[in-house]
Amino acid sequence: QVSLVESGGGSVQAGGSLRLSCEGSTYTVRNYCMGWFRHVPGKIPEGVAVICVDGTTAYEESVKGRFTISKDVARNRVYLEMNDLKVEDSGLYTCAADYRPQGLIDGAEDALHYGYRGQGTEVTVSL
């Protein structure tokens, strides 16, 4: 059983920053590809960022240069640092993980296909 628990969401003004955290087990963070996807009701979910075992990362085009995904195995966590937030970044951010020895396949979209997911944390960006 893989448990993922997100935290760090909230409300922020455009241009502000948030850091999301996803806590898993040491085994999960060390051995699984992990990532984030976001969903706004009425829209198609989209992969935001992923990081794999070798540290390889991938980002959705609109967040490149603003978001950074990282992992801290000692703390059993994966982080998503989000800077210069825009209104269109609002949504439910969900942490996902899966065992993927082959690494990245389809970039940030991989996160949508990972089999283990947390409950999500809400991000609201306002003008």
Side-chain angles (χ1 to χ4, degrees), residues 15-26:
S17 298
L18 285 172
R19 187 176 77 159
L20 305 184
S21 175
C22 174
E23 183 177 5
S25 69
T26 299

Side-chain angles (χ1 to χ4, degrees), residues 81-96:
E81 185 76 36
M82 306 187 296
N83 298 315
D84 190 22
L85 282 160
K86 305 179 186 301
V87 172
E88 52 266 37
D89 292 320
S90 298
L92 181 69
Y93 282 70
T94 301
C95 179

Side-chain angles (χ1 to χ4, degrees), residues 9-118:
S11 297
V12 64
Q13 287 190 316
S17 298
L18 285 172
R19 187 176 77 159
L20 305 184
S21 175
C22 174
E23 183 177 5
S25 69
T26 299
Y27 184 86
T28 299
V29 177
R30 188 187 300 275
N31 294 291
Y32 283 36
C33 285
M34 299 183 69
W36 297 86
F37 65 90
R38 63 188 178 193
H39 184 216
V40 176
K43 294 187 177 181
I44 298 173
E46 61 179 357
V48 176
V50 294
I51 184 167
C52 279
V53 174
D54 62 356
T56 304
T57 59
Y59 297 91
E60 192 271 328
E61 193 65 33
S62 72
V63 308
K64 286 181 179 178
R66 300 188 296 121
F67 290 13
T68 302
I69 189 169
S70 62
K71 60 180 176 179
D72 186 337
V73 177
R75 289 181 168 80
N76 305 337
R77 292 178 186 270
V78 168
Y79 300 103
L80 185 67
E81 185 76 36
M82 306 187 296
N83 298 315
D84 190 22
L85 282 160
K86 305 179 186 301
V87 172
E88 52 266 37
D89 292 320
S90 298
L92 181 69
Y93 282 70
T94 301
C95 179
D98 214 332
Y99 180 66
R100 295 289 177 92
Q102 71 273 39
L104 297 178
I105 296 175
D106 194 22
E109 289 295 293
D110 284 357
L112 294 169
H113 305 292
Y114 291 164
Y116 301 100
R117 300 176 172 187

